[in-house]
Amino acid sequence: MRLISFLHDGKSGFGALSGDRIADFSAQAPDLKSALAAGILADLTGVEPTIPLSAVTLLPPIPSPGKILCVGHNYETHRQETGRAKVANPSIFTRFADTLVASGQPILRPRHSTHLDFEGELAVVIGRGGRDIAVADALSHVAGYACFNDASVRDWQWHTQQFTPGKNFPGTGGFGPVLVTADDVPDYRALTVTTRLNGQVVQSQPTAEMIFSIPTIIAYISAFTPLSPGDVIATGTPGGVGAKREPPLWMKPGDVVEVDIPGIGLLSNPIADVA
């Protein structure tokens, strides 16, 4: 299934996208995170797709995740361009839920910086929670996959060795447009993450080239914190980020940035200044 969260007639809901129409499952659970927690995705059937996609406003697939965990330098091309040393374990940092924006909504350049950079990524959404999840069992905890843009305010990211400020300005995390359930993704390693800025490819790399696999990431994270249904893991960005270009390529108001993962979706966000 291709699941979306949305606003329709002033109410939030979620459903399955079929072509350009939505089967609304909101009567069966208040939101997608609740449906995951209740373990009822397989029971979400028997509803005709009657709501036109054009009649709704998209929300992030999980509008308010309990946790958003991001992996840094998880492609060798990106590790090399940043000059980071090779490490034995994934580099993990966090995002806040109020940083998320849906496909079609603007990514906001903050007042405090013009150094807004793109980071196209594959996101994993947890369907079944757990602690100390084994690598061999990790994919059974995945509900599905989505596109993510871990847009970064670089100068604030570089104030210290900690990433948190530059990754958590409101309205900087593109997420969506859909959550593709894991049963429709036979092999996440067969995907390719491509980022375009104003139609020009700026990043493109197969997910098979991740340094740390998704099962390894899930096992590592779940060793230090419990994972819950609806939690989001952004699995890292390929090389080609704007900060490491000569001259640097920063996103600015009027730009459009896209994260395209065939088989998963096309996340598109205009860039705008904070009002």
Side-chain angles (χ1 to χ4, degrees):
M1 285 191 292
R2 301 174 65 81
L3 298 169
I4 64 170
S5 297
F6 56 83
L7 291 173
H8 182 239
D9 289 340
K11 297 179 181 179
S12 60
F14 79 102
L17 185 61
S18 178
D20 62 355
R21 293 190 172 266
I22 303 163
D24 186 1
F25 296 139
S26 306
Q28 300 178 50
D31 52 46
L32 180 50
K33 184 167 71 172
S34 298
L36 293 174
I40 62 170
L41 279 194
D43 301 324
L44 298 177
T45 59
V47 177
E48 291 297 318
T50 58
I51 300 176
L53 181 60
S54 60
V56 308
T57 299
L58 289 178
L59 299 172
I62 307 291
S64 296
K67 295 185 177 82
I68 307 168
L69 298 128
C70 306
V71 187
H73 312 109
N74 199 30
Y75 289 82
E76 182 65 12
T77 52
H78 186 46
R79 186 197 68 79
Q80 289 185 6
E81 71 182 357
T82 60
R84 292 275 176 163
K86 291 185 177 182
V87 293
N89 297 296
S91 172
I92 306 296
F93 57 93
T94 59
R95 265 192 178 269
F96 306 146
D98 68 358
T99 68
L100 297 181
V101 294
S103 188
Q105 295 179 329
I107 287 176
L108 299 176
R109 189 175 70 171
R111 297 185 182 92
H112 305 281
S113 176
T114 58
H115 291 54
L116 181 63
D117 205 348
F118 47 82
E119 290 196 20
E121 308 197 11
L122 175 69
V124 174
V125 175
I126 297 298
R128 182 164 60 92
R131 183 78 187 271
D132 289 320
I133 298 168
V135 170
D137 298 331
L139 290 181
S140 70
H141 290 257
V142 173
Y145 303 90
C147 300
F148 201 88
N149 192 338
D150 186 31
S152 304
V153 183
R154 292 297 188 196
D155 49 349
W156 280 72
Q157 179 185 342
W158 296 334
H159 282 173
T160 70
Q161 292 298 308
Q162 303 300 318
F163 290 175
T164 300
K167 298 289 188 174
N168 281 288
F169 280 86
T172 56
F175 182 29
V178 300
L179 171 68
V180 179
T181 53
D183 57 345
D184 281 341
V185 184
D187 185 358
Y188 78 87
R189 296 166 297 185
L191 304 171
T192 297
V193 178
T194 297
T195 309
R196 289 186 291 267
L197 184 62
N198 300 324
Q200 299 298 311
V201 173
V202 288
Q203 295 177 293
S204 190
Q205 197 157 358
T207 52
E209 296 179 10
M210 289 181 186
I211 296 171
F212 297 101
S213 69
I214 288 174
T216 298
I217 293 165
I218 290 172
Y220 182 79
I221 290 173
S222 69
F224 73 82
T225 188
L227 287 170
S228 300
D231 286 350
V232 177
I233 301 172
T235 58
T237 198
V241 297
K244 297 304 177 181
R245 293 171 177 266
E246 293 292 343
L249 178 60
W250 306 122
M251 297 190 295
K252 62 187 183 303
D255 287 349
V256 175
V257 60
E258 297 174 319
V259 180
D260 188 1
I261 308 178
I264 303 298
L266 176 65
L267 169 66
S268 180
N269 298 98
I271 307 301
D273 273 333
V274 172

